Amino acid sequence: MTDYEIEMALQDSQESFPLETRPVNLSYWNTGSEYQSGVRRILKYDTAQDLFDYHYYLPDGTEKPIALKFGFSEADCQKLRIDPLTQSTIAISSIIAFFSRQNMSVGIIRPAYFTVEVCCKDFKVPYTIFDDYEEDINEKFDAQRLLDSGCQAFWFTSPINSMSIYFKDHVIKEIQKILDAGKVVIFDESLCMNGMELARKFGMQENLIYIYSPHKTLGLQGIKFSATVVHQKFYDEIDDIQDYYGGSLNYSCQQGASHFITKNFDDCLAFYKDYYQKNLKIVREVIQKYNFAHVSPGTEGHYAMIFLDWPIDDEFFVNSMKDLMKKSGYFVFPGIMQDFDTSKRFCFRINLLLNHRDIEKGLNVILEYLKNESEA
């Protein structure tokens, strides 16, 4: 089954239930009611609305404070430009369009957001997939293999897509070798927790392109803004492309940019960290009861990937989740939907911003069900 067929089969099954009894998807991207209530008690932002004018740039006086909060130095701020957008998906398509204009080939280090590969296909950009790292990237990543591929640009996702794992010193050093070889490197940090940005390690080098969307991590979709941070030498052309594909900014983006550099954003981030860490503790306690299931010890964020010791057939999995919906009210999406190869080792994502009880009860029933099915 394709990713789309799996998603539609599970989504259609979920929506066949009455709204009040609809099964909970532990892999879902939206946050739970408990988390939302907690953030609402903290969140403060400017509610004034400009309903008439077009906005294409960050609010006056905010570009440098935003760059500094991303972790760039004062010296970096003299070399970089920030191009704001309504969402990171537009940043991805714009950068791929830029590579198409430059006749560049791209190496995509999996797991990556699915849009990257789709955009490469649509813009006829040659690409190579590097898919043998996943959760082990911090131990076995080798820059030479990428350099030998002949690609001119390399796409990294930090934290690792749907795993909340950040790069350690070994990977940092290997990526610097790629930059030293004159290659372009993209860091998609759309889900990066503020304070963990790679700008703090790499700064603003000529061939580096960063993508940010800081409110996305906090689950605040209504006032989020996205940004492409590039060296001045790339800015004019990328800004031109993003004007074609992105257009003007919603006023909520202006609100998000202004809010990001306030202490209130930091207060929301502190609540976020406390909340996901409580759920991560619950996950680890549940996993201890099942010796065939594992969660990475390096998880630092609200998505955790659960790995099993065996593969699961797509059709069997979909039928199992449909059965679980009826019996328990819980289900998950397979890791293939987050760009993971599940042919040798099955995995699924847990959203740690869901309600605490849903995390504990749901993960228990899913693992118990899969255990029983594997023994049948």
Side-chain angles (χ1 to χ4, degrees):
M1 299 176 70
T2 66
D3 302 1
Y4 180 77
E5 289 170 339
I6 293 171
E7 181 178 4
M8 289 301 100
L10 294 176
Q11 187 170 302
D12 288 347
S13 181
Q14 181 192 32
E15 292 176 355
S16 68
F17 290 80
L19 186 61
E20 62 274 10
T21 61
R22 194 157 287 177
V24 176
N25 180 0
L26 297 185
S27 304
Y28 202 49
W29 40 87
N30 284 344
T31 57
S33 58
E34 294 171 355
Y35 176 79
Q36 291 177 15
S37 295
V39 173
R40 281 195 183 101
R41 288 194 295 269
I42 299 168
L43 182 62
K44 297 176 183 176
Y45 62 96
D46 181 10
T47 58
Q49 295 285 323
D50 180 348
L51 303 178
F52 300 97
D53 293 342
Y54 282 100
H55 296 274
Y56 292 95
Y57 305 104
L58 293 168
D60 290 345
T62 62
E63 179 164 324
K64 183 176 179 181
I66 286 172
L68 293 172
K69 196 156 187 175
F70 284 150
F72 292 100
S73 68
E74 290 276 352
D76 288 329
C77 291
Q78 305 303 313
K79 299 180 287 186
L80 63 78
R81 295 292 303 274
I82 298 179
D83 216 343
L85 297 155
T86 56
Q87 54 184 298
S88 53
T89 304
I90 297 174
I92 291 171
S93 59
S94 299
I95 293 168
I96 299 298
F98 170 71
F99 291 149
S100 178
R101 288 188 179 186
Q102 299 291 320
N103 294 314
M104 287 185 176
S105 57
V106 183
I108 303 172
I109 293 77
R110 273 186 173 166
Y113 194 54
F114 74 94
T115 309
V116 180
E117 187 174 353
V118 172
C119 286
C120 283
K121 290 177 181 177
D122 288 348
F123 283 105
K124 305 295 188 295
V125 172
Y127 67 93
T128 301
I129 297 292
F130 297 90
D131 59 0
D132 55 352
Y133 297 117
E134 295 186 352
E135 65 174 330
D136 299 323
I137 192 168
N138 280 315
E139 287 72 44
K140 64 181 185 180
F141 180 70
D142 180 12
Q144 193 57 50
R145 179 160 173 257
L146 274 64
L147 291 171
D148 291 343
S149 72
C151 294
Q152 287 93 39
F154 295 94
W155 196 290
F156 293 86
T157 306
S158 177
I160 298 173
N161 189 44
S162 293
M163 289 187 68
S164 302
I165 292 177
Y166 291 85
F167 299 148
K168 304 301 182 186
D169 287 344
H170 166 68
V171 181
I172 301 296
K173 292 175 182 176
E174 291 295 301
I175 294 175
Q176 188 58 56
K177 292 179 184 178
I178 297 172
L179 288 163
D180 292 343
K183 307 297 183 181
V184 174
V185 169
I186 307 92
F187 289 138
D188 181 351
E189 298 195 89
S190 302
L191 268 175
C192 179
M193 200 186 320
N194 183 228
M196 303 288 285
E197 295 91 347
L198 287 169
R200 301 168 195 278
K201 299 289 186 178
F202 289 95
M204 190 68 259
Q205 301 181 45
E206 279 196 7
N207 285 351
L208 263 177
I209 300 174
Y210 297 87
I211 302 173
Y212 291 113
S213 190
H215 288 85
K216 191 173 181 179
T217 299
L218 305 183
L220 286 170
Q221 308 298 340
I223 61 167
K224 71 178 181 182
F225 75 104
S226 295
T228 304
V229 185
V230 298
H231 192 276
Q232 288 178 351
K233 76 170 189 177
F234 285 146
Y235 175 75
D236 287 340
E237 186 161 4
I238 289 180
D239 177 61
D240 182 52
I241 292 171
Q242 293 187 160
D243 189 28
Y244 296 145
Y245 291 100
S248 63
L249 301 176
N250 297 329
Y251 189 74
S252 60
C253 297
Q254 299 275 303
Q255 292 174 309
S258 297
H259 179 255
F260 176 56
I261 55 177
T262 66
K263 182 182 179 298
N264 189 253
F265 179 92
D266 302 336
D267 294 339
C268 293
L269 179 62
F271 179 82
Y272 163 86
K273 290 179 180 178
D274 181 68
Y275 192 96
Y276 92 73
Q277 286 169 359
K278 287 177 180 175
N279 269 340
L280 182 58
K281 183 174 183 289
I282 291 171
V283 167
R284 288 179 173 146
E285 289 171 351
V286 171
I287 292 258
Q288 286 179 352
K289 298 184 290 185
Y290 301 93
N291 60 9
F292 59 87
H294 315 276
V295 61
S296 172
T299 302
E300 295 185 71
H302 71 275
Y303 285 143
M305 191 64 72
I306 311 297
F307 290 89
L308 307 187
D309 287 343
W310 60 77
I312 298 179
D313 175 78
D314 289 345
E315 190 169 348
F316 169 80
F317 176 79
V318 169
N319 291 332
S320 295
M321 291 301 104
K322 288 181 178 179
D323 190 33
L324 253 181
M325 288 184 201
K326 297 174 185 176
K327 292 179 177 178
S328 71
Y330 292 98
F331 73 106
V332 292
F333 280 156
I336 191 173
M337 292 177 60
Q338 284 82 47
D339 207 28
F340 284 79
D341 180 2
T342 57
S343 61
K344 298 178 182 178
R345 190 180 180 207
F346 190 80
C347 61
F348 59 88
R349 185 177 78 182
I350 296 290
N351 183 348
L352 300 177
L353 297 184
L354 296 176
N355 294 346
H356 299 307
R357 174 172 168 74
D358 286 333
I359 293 291
E360 182 174 16
K361 183 180 178 182
L363 186 56
N364 264 304
V365 299
I366 287 167
L367 292 177
E368 188 66 26
Y369 182 93
L370 294 175
K371 174 178 177 288
N372 292 337
E373 288 296 312
S374 69
E375 294 173 350

